[in-house]
Amino acid sequence: MKAFITQENNKIFEIAVGVFFLLLFWQIISMVVGNNVLFPSPLATIEKFFEILQRPDIFKIFSSTIIRVAIGLILAFFFAIFLGIASIYIPIIEIMFRPLISAIKAMPNISIIVQIIIWLGTLRAPSAVSFLVVFPLLYSAVIEGIKNVDESLLEMANLYRVSSNSQLKNIYLPSVISYLAASFGAAVGLAVKMVIAAEYLSHTPSSIGERIYFSRIYFDMSGVMAWTIVAIITSLVLEVPSKMITKHFSRWKDEK
Amino acid sequence: MYIINNLTRCFGDQEILKNVNARFANGKIITILGPSGCGKTTLLRVLAGLDIDYTGDLIGFEQANSFVFQQARLLPWKTVYENIEIVLESLESKNRNKRVLDALSMVELGHISHMYPKQLSGGMQQRVSIARAFAYPSKLMFLDEPFQSLDFDLKQRLMKLLLPLWSKENYTVFLVTHDVHVAAILGDSIAIMGKNKGEFIEIIQNNVSREKRLLGLSEEVISLENKIYQFISQ
């Protein structure tokens, strides 16, 4: 227990030191620039942030962006698992998707966003962008997990006549999940960035991206920074359930 | 009766098994002994149906069988209990629980059923894999160097544990080893493979009863071991 408390305290101390130096660095740059409109100080940004929190529509803006990110992430997650598993039984699926996945990975994100906005309109574009950017990442993780399934475990399962369904559930999925878990954290961060970029470019109503856009055209730099803090919080909020799910599936690793 | 007729297995141009022929009665323990690289494991894998790229005939081996691999091959994300339960799909769920617990208590591991493999020593993991082999509904068991990673004491204890269990359940057992002592204590028949021969150079019948073998090193066992050494050194 004592060791645990010490470890927890250390972690809090490390975060506090990191935040302190970030604010110090920010303050120094703002003092060097010497123009609160062009480069607002941490205090001005925090004031603006609390102003934003008092807006009557803040919950709507915040939750709308979260929902758009979540829709893209969840769809990408299930499609990645579905297609990955289907490729175990029908290997041509993996071959068919390989060029498409490579093309999406190589495409500049801005091209994806612009094309999707043109095709799907302002409301549906952010979720679709999130899906398209995250799907190759998660799908590649699933394929990697399947390719790296321990052959000796499969041989054991075949010898003991373990059914295909059971092999899928008890051997393939746990292997895939360990690879997915490693990619999912990065996928959440990427999805938030891409959704907000899409919202910004398409001026999606009631969205963090739209708010950053309006702050920019009114040259409200403290607003841009304060909304950026809201975006970071969005990312952290979405990371919580993903970390909980990951922890649940890899609880065997924590056993001592 | 288990019959091996003209069994040949090649890897590329190299013949690992060359026209192996043998007959073994049901309920016997056959230890397959030979130097490293003589094809023991290949033979065991072919007999167990893990390798089907061979020529020749195998009779009596078509049934379900259990296999104890050199490594325990346990699912790291499943508990000990679940690792055994997973191979019992064909049984009704009410029978599974009893079978898993019985198998674990056979190998004296009833108290660790809730633990994960990474929490166990190598020897305990190997015992779990032996329990899995016993839990599986089959009377034909293959073991590939099952005691390789175990210390002398544990090896002795496991041999004393396994021999009565095989006798009680009337298993037919094929056990690969390079340890002459293991072969002499456990085997009713000791099939010796020669280096680069790809076949049995001798099959020795062990005339010492299973009960007597369990008591430890008797003169008969020592003379049997000497006989085995003579064939191996040829």
Side-chain angles (χ1 to χ4, degrees):
Chain A
M1 186 70 182
K2 195 177 171 188
F4 171 77
I5 290 168
T6 312
Q7 222 175 20
E8 278 293 292
N9 284 346
N10 270 346
K11 210 171 174 184
I12 292 166
F13 177 72
E14 282 171 16
I15 293 170
V17 168
V19 171
F20 173 76
F21 275 100
L22 173 71
L23 291 175
L24 184 69
F25 191 58
W26 183 353
Q27 179 65 36
I28 290 168
I29 295 178
S30 133
M31 284 162 73
V32 170
V33 173
N35 182 339
N36 228 8
V37 175
L38 194 62
F39 199 97
S41 67
L43 193 66
T45 305
I46 290 165
E47 273 175 15
K48 186 72 186 183
F49 174 70
F50 282 107
E51 206 178 289
I52 286 171
L53 290 187
Q54 283 161 17
R55 288 174 62 110
D57 59 349
I58 180 63
F59 180 74
K60 191 180 173 194
I61 293 170
F62 184 65
S63 57
S64 301
T65 296
I66 282 193
I67 289 169
R68 285 182 199 111
V69 175
I71 289 172
L73 267 177
I74 291 168
L75 283 177
F77 180 82
F78 283 108
F79 265 89
I81 288 194
F82 176 75
L83 286 174
I85 285 169
S87 72
I88 299 172
Y89 303 104
I90 314 164
I92 199 155
I93 290 178
E94 200 254 318
I95 297 164
M96 276 163 53
F97 271 84
R98 216 180 282 161
L100 179 66
I101 297 293
S102 300
I104 297 174
K105 275 182 178 171
M107 269 169 87
N109 289 338
I110 191 72
S111 306
I112 298 176
I113 296 173
V114 169
Q115 288 174 61
I116 297 294
I117 289 171
I118 293 168
W119 291 330
L120 296 180
T122 59
L123 279 175
R124 280 176 292 180
S127 292
V129 167
S130 153
F131 171 80
L132 268 182
V133 173
V134 166
F135 172 71
L137 196 70
L138 298 182
Y139 176 74
S140 301
V142 172
I143 293 295
E144 197 69 12
I146 288 168
K147 284 184 176 166
N148 285 295
V149 163
D150 188 341
E151 291 286 339
S152 70
L153 294 181
L154 290 176
E155 188 179 62
M156 178 278 296
N158 286 328
L159 180 115
Y160 283 113
R161 300 183 184 183
V162 176
S163 68
S164 303
N165 279 347
S166 180
Q167 287 189 30
L168 184 64
K169 188 178 142 208
N170 296 307
I171 300 176
Y172 279 105
L173 271 182
S175 170
V176 161
I177 279 167
S178 67
Y179 279 83
L180 256 183
S183 300
F184 204 74
V188 170
L190 185 63
V192 171
K193 284 178 196 169
M194 294 304 293
V195 162
I196 291 174
E199 289 172 343
Y200 177 93
L201 287 173
S202 64
H203 315 153
T204 311
S206 298
S207 70
I208 294 174
E210 184 207 33
R211 288 292 104 203
I212 292 175
Y213 173 77
F214 282 126
S215 299
R216 193 213 119 200
I217 59 168
Y218 294 126
F219 211 69
D220 174 12
M221 280 305 286
S222 59
V224 172
M225 287 185 163
W227 280 108
T228 304
I229 294 173
V230 176
I232 292 168
I233 294 169
T234 309
S235 193
L236 293 176
V237 164
L238 282 163
E239 272 179 28
V240 172
S242 77
K243 278 189 176 159
M244 282 167 65
I245 293 167
T246 306
K247 202 169 172 154
H248 173 77
F249 281 108
S250 50
R251 60 192 185 280
W252 60 274
K253 287 183 183 165
D254 300 328
E255 294 291 337
K256 295 273 187 301
Chain B
M1 185 66 87
Y2 295 89
I3 303 171
I4 305 170
N5 260 345
N6 296 325
L7 177 67
T8 298
R9 171 69 171 102
C10 301
F11 288 97
D13 295 338
Q14 204 181 356
E15 274 189 330
I16 301 297
L17 303 175
K18 300 173 194 167
N19 287 323
V20 180
N21 288 288
R23 285 167 174 257
F24 301 106
N26 285 343
K28 295 289 179 193
I29 301 166
I30 299 101
T31 48
I32 301 168
L33 188 73
S36 297
C38 69
K40 305 184 294 281
T41 296
T42 304
L43 174 64
L44 200 71
R45 290 176 58 81
V46 168
L47 298 183
L50 290 173
D51 183 345
I52 52 168
D53 209 4
Y54 64 88
T55 57
D57 295 317
L58 295 175
I59 298 163
F61 292 93
E62 305 83 6
Q63 59 189 293
N65 62 67
S66 49
F67 201 115
V68 177
F69 298 91
Q70 281 183 28
Q71 306 299 325
R73 298 199 187 183
L74 303 175
L75 307 179
W77 42 80
K78 294 280 173 192
T79 62
V80 164
Y81 183 96
E82 291 164 339
N83 260 289
I84 299 176
E85 192 190 29
I86 195 175
V87 304
L88 301 179
E89 274 181 328
S90 59
L91 303 181
E92 282 181 37
S93 57
K94 61 180 179 184
N95 294 335
R96 281 184 215 160
N97 182 47
K98 186 178 180 310
R99 212 160 168 114
V100 175
L101 297 179
D102 283 352
L104 278 173
S105 64
M106 267 184 206
V107 293
E108 302 168 2
L109 289 178
H111 58 293
I112 55 118
S113 62
H114 61 287
M115 291 171 89
Y116 288 93
K118 67 169 266 197
Q119 297 173 280
L120 310 178
S121 67
M124 287 165 104
Q125 290 186 15
Q126 192 59 303
R127 278 195 278 165
V128 174
S129 83
I130 290 170
R132 180 175 62 194
F134 273 106
Y136 188 64
S138 145
K139 291 291 172 211
L140 175 59
M141 190 181 291
F142 297 93
L143 299 96
D144 186 9
E145 304 268 16
F147 312 124
Q148 199 182 33
S149 55
L150 309 182
D151 61 42
F152 182 78
D153 283 346
L154 190 55
K155 188 164 73 178
Q156 295 294 330
R157 270 178 54 208
L158 271 180
M159 285 198 292
K160 285 184 176 173
L161 196 77
L162 288 173
L163 203 48
L165 287 173
W166 287 328
S167 302
K168 189 177 154 203
E169 305 282 335
N170 197 32
Y171 271 94
T172 304
V173 176
F174 289 84
L175 185 148
V176 157
T177 181
H178 61 263
D179 185 329
V180 171
H181 179 65
V182 170
I185 295 285
L186 294 179
D188 299 322
S189 299
I190 298 127
I192 303 170
M193 293 183 81
K195 193 163 181 73
N196 301 324
K197 302 272 192 216
E199 58 181 332
F200 296 131
I201 53 173
E202 184 66 38
I203 298 175
I204 302 171
Q205 297 307 317
N206 193 345
N207 298 319
V208 188
S209 72
R210 289 182 182 180
E211 292 74 19
K212 206 168 174 185
R213 280 185 249 154
L214 275 178
L215 296 175
L217 279 176
S218 63
E219 271 187 26
E220 289 158 298
V221 172
I222 292 169
S223 98
L224 177 65
E225 286 186 11
N226 287 334
K227 195 174 172 186
I228 296 170
Y229 274 121
Q230 282 171 11
F231 280 107
I232 288 180
S233 55
Q234 275 177 13

